[in-house]
Amino acid sequence: MSAVDRHKWNRRYRDGAYHGRTHPSAFLAECAAALPAPGRALDLACGTGRNAVYLADLGFAVDAVDISTEALAIGRARTPALPIRWLEHDLDSGFVPEGGCDVIVNIRFVNLPLLESLVPWLRPDGVMIVEQHLATAREDVIGPRNPAFRVAPGELARLASTLAIERIQEDVLTDPDGRKAALSRLLARRSPLVDGRHASAA
């Protein structure tokens, strides 16, 4: 991501973009029952931290990562008492967690090579929760018009091919604000057993 993009996102958050979006992703909330026992969670492209806060309230220690200094500052100011580390990082350059993850969340930030690189960092029974805009010819849906910021059908299933896929959904759905969105959603779990034996945390 270029310095121009970093400046763009900082400006958006400074100008109040997403100010009222404090509720967690609807898909993450739907997956709550599938989460493992609280441990470490990673929230990629966290923005001001709506999903990081949700996970922290459930008992997870969260690394919340974003390129925007402004977004991270807003999240940090809102949640001084929660176990969240706010990390400024350009995810387009990759990311290496400090130890294994019990939960990895990626909501509507497209970087499939990054997600693939993070699969080995899932601890046994850890889950990956992903929601992306789906490539579509429909014009009545929200989201980016640039196809580079949408995923093709089947792509999320492919990247999770070494995991147990518990939910895969590709459809036009209605967002909480009533707008239609073409979405690809994935809930996948690393087996408690790896190569026939209990695996240690990555």
Side-chain angles (χ1 to χ4, degrees):
M1 187 174 289
S2 68
V4 172
D5 289 326
R6 185 190 299 268
H7 176 73
K8 175 189 73 175
W9 285 108
N10 278 334
R11 185 178 67 251
R12 284 187 183 180
Y13 284 108
R14 255 195 318 271
D15 292 345
Y18 318 113
H19 177 72
R21 192 180 295 178
T22 57
H23 56 279
S25 155
F27 184 51
L28 175 58
E30 289 174 20
C31 294
L35 295 176
R40 294 208 61 83
L42 175 61
D43 181 11
L44 299 167
C46 65
T48 58
R50 62 188 182 123
N51 296 316
V53 170
Y54 180 76
L55 290 166
D57 283 339
L58 292 177
F60 289 89
V62 186
D63 283 348
V65 188
D66 201 275
I67 195 172
S68 171
T69 308
E70 296 287 337
L72 296 172
I74 292 169
R76 190 179 293 112
R78 286 177 177 170
T79 60
L82 289 179
I84 302 174
R85 291 199 309 167
W86 302 93
L87 305 176
E88 182 181 345
H89 188 80
D90 179 359
L91 290 167
D92 282 343
S93 67
F95 183 78
V96 178
E98 294 181 9
C101 302
D102 298 287
V103 177
I104 297 174
V105 174
N106 178 202
I107 304 296
R108 304 191 189 185
F109 166 74
V110 179
N111 187 324
L112 298 184
L114 171 66
L115 284 180
E116 286 189 276
S117 75
L118 290 171
V119 167
W121 291 92
L122 273 177
R123 292 171 175 162
D125 201 41
V127 298
M128 178 174 280
I129 296 169
V130 185
E131 179 182 88
Q132 302 288 2
H133 289 288
L134 179 67
T136 179
R138 291 182 57 156
E139 297 184 354
D140 62 337
V141 295
I142 63 168
R145 296 304 168 192
N146 184 340
F149 301 119
R150 290 181 176 270
V151 299
E155 280 198 287
L156 293 190
R158 180 192 59 77
L159 78 85
S161 61
T162 61
L163 304 175
I165 296 177
E166 298 186 357
R167 179 173 174 181
I168 189 79
Q169 182 179 19
E170 296 180 331
D171 206 349
V172 174
L173 304 170
T174 302
D175 265 356
D177 61 6
R179 298 181 297 172
K180 292 181 180 179
L183 298 174
S184 181
R185 289 171 157 182
L186 169 76
L187 168 63
R189 187 182 306 272
R190 188 179 185 192
S191 171
L193 297 175
V194 178
D195 298 329
R197 64 185 187 280
H198 287 282
S200 59

